[in-house]
Amino acid sequence: MFSPPATRPPPPTESLRDAVIPDYGTGSLADLFPSILAGFGVPGEVDRLGLEFAADRICVLLIDGLGADALAANSAVAPFLSALAQRTLTAGFPSTTTVSLSSLGVGVPPGEHGFTGYLIHVPGYDRLVNALTWRLHGAGPKIDLLQDLVPEQFQPTATVFERAAADGIAVAQVAPRLQAGSGLTRAVLRGCEFRPYVSVGDFVDGVATALRAGPRSLVYAYHGNLDTTGHVRGPSSDAWLLELAHVDRLAATIAEHLPPDAALVVTADHGMVELTDRVDFDKTELLREGVRLLGGEPRARHVFTVDGATADVAATWQEYLGTDFDVISRAEAIDRGWFGPTVARHIAERIGDLVVAARGLRGVVRTGAEPLESMLIGHHGSLTPAEMNVPLCTFRP
């Protein structure tokens, strides 16, 4: 039976300050499915990753919250995954689930698919949009469900699943029932059969069954418990290590049940760090001056300013936060390539007037407006290696 190690190396500090710029086009999550479709021979798709393998049936297993650095540091806990042929991809920016699943499902960077963070500013709405719940952010009635923001219009580009299905590939998604028909699913993961699972055994069976649905099949399987455990207990906790061990067994069990002509690809949407200090926007009047909306999340904030206040807000935030954060303008964030080589004008409007990315182990929380998020131990969203680097592991029977 697995037992968590009695001692662990101290969490990284200085190394976190080195920003990882998303490797769009040659080594990011956005490049994974187009490369797989190219292996299937789908017209117009290019193998951007040089995967150099082809299979008639492929399962892509996404483990929410499994950073490449964390996997490498805990290889003994995850022997199956650690023994696989693997490389590292980068998430997009911000390194958060909404953005990463959108990049994965559409096969393009955030500047093209339009999901630019956890809480997004959509012109025409006076409150931020939470794309995971497809609701306006903050307290309010159930009518806050965004029925007038049509997901298929918000993100109209054909998804990788639609492109695969158009070429005759049987495509399925195995994921929790709550994701079926959600706004985010309709926007970036549409075009495949949805197979909800109720248990780990049902998860494995759903993958194995979907892989046998046709002569060519593609299965996207999502597992979220590791991320939840990391948020609540921290990614260095015994609970997280025990969950990693279960995730490793899950991947191994899926591998055992693959058809002989299938392949398993394991990746993740982001890694995670533990905050050592929280800057509370709601209790810091100096940071609120000149700010009309605060989007994103603690590790990667979008700051929307009142007219004419952007320069002053930038100076105030940078001085107050210090070198633990980059406080840069929308234009500079775009120029640095954080959101991709191309950012459409209507999508640029969803990026903050200022973008604030954490370099160390601190975060900007909102204990009043976001009490639950502010209490979490584990966070992600910024450009540090621990958050940005995700594994790409492959298995063939």
Side-chain angles (χ1 to χ4, degrees):
M1 178 178 293
F2 165 72
S3 298
T7 61
R8 301 185 184 85
T13 52
E14 290 303 316
S15 63
L16 290 176
R17 297 182 181 277
D18 298 326
V20 175
I21 304 303
D23 192 10
Y24 300 122
T26 57
S28 77
L29 273 176
D31 305 308
L32 178 55
F33 271 120
S35 298
I36 289 174
L37 294 192
F40 275 117
V42 177
E45 304 292 345
V46 177
D47 183 2
R48 309 173 192 169
L49 299 179
L51 294 181
E52 297 182 351
F53 78 87
D56 294 328
R57 309 168 196 274
I58 297 177
C59 171
V60 175
L61 171 62
L62 186 132
I63 305 299
D64 197 327
L66 179 58
D69 291 11
L71 178 60
N74 296 285
S75 58
V77 179
F80 173 75
L81 291 175
S82 299
L84 297 182
Q86 59 184 280
R87 58 187 286 190
T88 297
L89 300 180
T90 65
F93 178 80
S95 51
T96 195
T97 300
T98 299
V99 177
S100 289
L101 294 191
S102 300
S103 297
L104 191 76
V106 187
V108 298
E112 296 175 58
H113 61 61
F115 288 88
T116 56
Y118 171 61
L119 297 176
I120 308 169
H121 170 54
V122 179
Y125 293 88
D126 59 359
R127 288 157 61 189
L128 298 165
V129 172
N130 183 327
L132 285 179
T133 61
W134 212 254
R135 293 180 182 273
L136 294 175
H137 179 59
K142 291 184 178 180
I143 199 172
D144 285 349
L145 185 66
L146 292 169
Q147 297 176 346
D148 58 336
L149 190 64
V150 180
E152 294 84 355
Q153 296 175 0
F154 186 82
Q155 197 300 108
T157 301
T159 70
V160 294
F161 304 134
E162 290 176 314
R163 282 138 55 189
D167 197 55
I169 299 170
V171 190
Q173 178 180 174
V174 180
R177 184 176 298 276
L178 61 85
Q179 295 181 10
S182 71
L184 186 63
T185 295
R186 287 171 55 190
V188 302
L189 300 171
R190 62 180 180 264
C192 56
E193 177 191 3
F194 192 96
R195 300 178 65 95
Y197 68 89
V198 298
S199 66
V200 172
D202 192 41
F203 186 95
V204 175
D205 181 68
V207 169
T209 301
L211 282 173
R212 292 177 170 86
R216 293 188 302 162
S217 58
L218 176 63
V219 177
Y220 162 66
Y222 170 88
H223 195 269
N225 290 355
L226 188 70
D227 178 72
T228 302
T229 305
H231 278 305
V232 177
R233 304 301 183 194
S236 66
S237 65
D238 287 351
W240 190 89
L241 290 171
L242 287 164
E243 188 60 38
L244 175 60
H246 281 287
V247 165
D248 190 66
R249 293 192 193 105
L250 171 64
T253 305
I254 292 174
E256 292 169 2
H257 289 79
L258 290 178
D261 55 350
L264 173 64
V265 178
V266 184
T267 190
D269 52 349
H270 55 74
M272 190 175 290
V273 299
E274 295 184 9
L275 297 191
T276 59
D277 181 53
R278 291 163 169 77
V279 179
D280 192 348
F281 173 84
D282 289 342
K283 294 182 179 179
T284 309
E285 183 176 355
L286 186 66
L287 295 183
R288 298 198 305 273
E289 293 178 358
V291 176
R292 59 186 177 89
L293 288 171
L294 185 65
E297 56 196 297
R299 298 282 298 170
R301 286 294 187 183
H302 290 270
V303 183
F304 296 91
T305 63
V306 300
D307 289 345
T310 301
D312 289 340
V313 172
T316 298
W317 276 61
Q318 191 66 80
E319 181 179 2
Y320 188 88
L321 296 175
T323 58
D324 278 345
F325 294 82
D326 281 344
V327 180
I328 64 175
S329 69
R330 173 192 295 136
E332 186 173 355
I334 292 173
D335 287 344
R336 290 187 184 185
W338 287 6
F339 296 95
T342 300
V343 179
R345 178 175 297 181
H346 72 285
I347 292 174
E349 296 176 343
R350 303 172 191 171
I351 299 172
D353 296 302
L354 299 172
V355 180
V356 180
R359 286 294 191 96
L361 292 171
R362 303 166 67 203
V364 178
V365 302
R366 300 197 64 184
T367 55
E370 301 164 9
L372 294 179
E373 293 91 335
S374 299
M375 294 172 58
L376 296 176
I377 296 173
H379 288 267
H380 51 80
S382 194
L383 292 159
T384 69
E387 294 160 282
M388 285 291 294
N389 293 333
V390 297
L392 181 66
C393 310
T394 58
F395 172 84
R396 294 292 300 273

